[in-house]
Amino acid sequence: MVTAAPGEERSPALALVNTRRLSPAGEVDDLAEPGDATEWLRRHDLPPARLTPDDLPGLLDLRAAIREVLAASAEDRTPAAKAVETVNATARADAAAPQLTWLAQPHREWRSTRPGSAEEALASLARDAITVVTGELGRLVRPCEAHGCVRFFFREHARRRWCSTTCGDRVRAARHQRLVVEQRGATEGPR
């Protein structure tokens, strides 16, 4: 299992974009099959009970759109209009309405008008992406700086550059190897 990037526990939209990544064996997609995608949604407390093959393209399109929106936020640029439209259309695909609950005191909760549906899950992810890029967390979104890594994270420490210790260790090992080769070349001199 891959270690979660900083911020994934606070933002399911950030966790969603990191379901597609590169590994030493090649590209990995945690949402390649409807069963995998259903399990991922369940682990992130999102409906539905079962995602159908017809629901999967919408989830993958949303992931690509959110990736573009987060990348644009991190790069301080305007995202592609298609990505913004996909996020907005998905966010409004399931209406949420405030509901009154009364335990010890009144409490307002936003609830789906289509509970348990794929639309509810996708709309929740899209609304989270909107909240991230328009709120305090938007300025913290960063791509991992390790060569070959495509994940994003919330950079909450000024010195953090990588999404995981694995990526940081890879960068440090490559830097060490480069220095060893340079030192070897300097001591051997020209031939």
Side-chain angles (χ1 to χ4, degrees), residues 24-161:
E27 187 172 323
V28 175
D29 187 346
D30 295 335
L31 307 178
E33 299 294 326
D36 297 335
T38 299
E39 177 59 24
W40 185 89
L41 290 170
R42 187 194 61 70
R43 282 194 323 268
H44 290 85
D45 297 323
L46 295 165
R50 181 154 168 65
L51 201 66
T52 69
D54 292 339
D55 297 325
L56 193 56
L59 180 60
L60 300 180
D61 288 347
L62 179 61
R63 176 178 64 186
I66 292 173
R67 175 175 288 281
E68 167 61 12
V69 168
L70 292 181
S73 179
E75 297 165 7
D76 198 26
R77 65 172 172 82
T78 302
K82 175 80 171 126
V84 172
E85 177 50 35
T86 297
V87 169
N88 286 336
T90 305
R92 67 179 171 260
D94 174 51
Q99 300 292 303
L100 177 64
T101 60
W102 207 293
L103 300 171
Q105 58 186 345
H107 179 72
R108 179 184 62 185
E109 294 178 356
W110 286 88
R111 293 202 186 144
S112 169
T113 57
R114 299 172 71 180
S117 67
E119 290 82 7
E120 177 190 15
L122 298 182
S124 178
L125 288 163
R127 288 191 291 263
D128 181 60
I130 292 167
T131 300
V132 166
V133 298
T134 61
E136 290 293 315
L137 295 175
R139 62 182 176 75
L140 301 176
V141 174
R142 293 290 181 274
C144 181
E145 292 181 16
H147 178 72
C149 187
V150 296
R151 295 183 358 149
F152 285 83
F153 67 99
F154 291 156
R155 183 177 175 195
E156 296 182 281
H157 189 283
R159 292 178 48 169
R160 180 134 202 166
R161 301 281 185 250

